Amino acid sequence: MFSFVVAIVSFFLTSAQTEPVVDSSYVAAVYEHNLIPNPPGPLSRRAALQHMKRNLDIYEEQAARAAQQGAQILVFPEVGIQGFNFSRSSIYSYLETIPDPQQESWNPCTEPGKYNNTEVLQRLSCMACRYNLYMVANMGDLQPCSQKTDPSCPPDGRWQFNTNVVFSSDGLLVARYHKYNLFFEEAFNTPPQPEIITFDTPFAGRFGLLICFDILFHEPTVALVEKGVRQLIFPTAWYNTLPLLDSNQFHRAFSLGADVTLLSANIRLDQFKMSGSGIYTPFSATYHHAQQGDPEEGRLLVARVPVLDPLWVKQNVATEEMMMSSYNLPLQILDAIKESSYTPPKTGSSVPSSSTTFISSMMCDPFTFVLLNETEGDVEVCNGSFCCHLQYRQLTQNSSKELYALGAFAGTHTVDGCYALQVCALVRCAQLDFTTCGQAVEEAETKMDFMLEGKFGTRYVYPSVLASNHVMEEPEYLKKAADGRVIMKHSNMSSGLVTACLYGRMYHLDYDECIALE
């Protein structure tokens, strides 16, 4: 039942440095929706509209609440209108043909007769207009095609896409994005080419669009960031997978590692372990994650955040240089920064020469682990030539006994997706048995001061510190050196440590590694 607001205070090279001053801020809102699931089997258009109306009625209530709190942009989750687990045929009645805003201008609220069977688009457009909000929703798009003119057209003569739609505050359809990285979505097609879609607002400049599984891949997510887009809209139906890819954990880590604002709206559906939404900036995190036993209900989050679009705030070169030297967050742009003057704290022991490593599965990947057998120490573990180093001091609470291990993995993840990784992770084991290291854990009592370090072959490294009961802590210190070393230091934890992770994505290896596995 708790929502959290976390401000980063001592996250830079010196304690005197603070968030750079920008010209403006805006109020963002995300809604975690307690989905009313779709009935089984194919429905008539009328029945599908009746079902979607029940979810849209909730959207309307939340849009009104967001507007009352001053929100200027509101994001709803993936599949929040129609539900999921459709077949290609059973979703048909839920689909609408969404015109391309880059090709034509259309306001569904004021021009409802322009296209047939667009009731959902009309409802969303009028909602945005009524509450004076930029609004992002997710729905299904049907685009007719012919194999005579398009050989890639599906045999049934239509493309079906998982789609984000964006409406301006006067109801104009301003952006449409088709999800590129599908996650076992039989109902939808992958677009022939990845789409890099942005839209502009009068209050914060440019935003980019992505959906759920997209966040793990170069296209479109990192492609947007590399084009200078620093404000990302992220509807998701995220299945929480501890210990490394809990929703808040990874979405916050991506915001820090990529130096972006991420507006993340998730579904709340306990049977599928779906929960966790947030408004993440490089300087703060406003988020919610349901706890076991919480009522299964939606949650609206609203926060004022700084504008990050450099063109909108008209930053000059001097300001830009100041920001890049002050932020110690955007790991991908810090390659030129020299090795930190930070000296790790001394500990009472060194790496034992007899350290025993073992292999255990974590997130379906064979991590190499070493146990933390002492209350403080200095350990290292390698997976092939990739090594992770940890200095630590445990602060055991109430004489509790918990087992921790340091794990390393460098390779290609191949379960429920294919992508190349380098990961350093300090994890609490599920039990006092080393074979449970790497299993999902939600609670911990042992606090820990630590410095975690790895030398990565990628500049895309996403840092996280996850404490007991899905509470995120902001690392006190982050650094990426010119030689690829990434250092994360943290102390004075508020609750027990579940996971501390440096999650490196080797995007440049994805194609070759995954093709080789086919």
Side-chain angles (χ1 to χ4, degrees), residues 13 328 334-344 451 453 455 477-487:
L13 291 177
N328 199 33
L334 287 175
D335 294 322
I337 294 181
K338 301 302 180 182
E339 184 172 329
S340 168
S341 60
Y342 166 73
T343 301
M451 186 196 74
E453 176 184 349
K455 186 174 182 180
Y477 176 95
L478 280 176
K479 177 68 182 180
K480 185 176 188 297
D483 63 358
R485 285 189 308 115
V486 179
I487 302 169

Side-chain angles (χ1 to χ4, degrees), residues 391-407:
Q391 294 184 1
Y392 69 95
R393 180 167 65 96
Q394 295 185 15
L395 306 171
T396 304
Q397 303 294 307
N398 301 323
S399 301
S400 64
K401 180 64 176 176
E402 295 173 329
L403 183 63
Y404 284 82
L406 174 66

Side-chain angles (χ1 to χ4, degrees), residues 362 366-369 381-383 386-388 406-410 423-425:
M362 181 159 65
F367 274 70
T368 303
F369 283 100
V381 64
C382 299
N383 185 260
F386 175 68
C387 297
C388 303
L406 174 66
F409 175 73
V423 180
C424 293

Side-chain angles (χ1 to χ4, degrees), residues 53-67:
K53 181 180 183 298
R54 297 175 66 195
N55 285 307
L56 287 166
D57 287 346
I58 298 172
Y59 278 25
E60 183 99 31
E61 295 171 359
Q62 299 305 319
R65 292 185 60 213

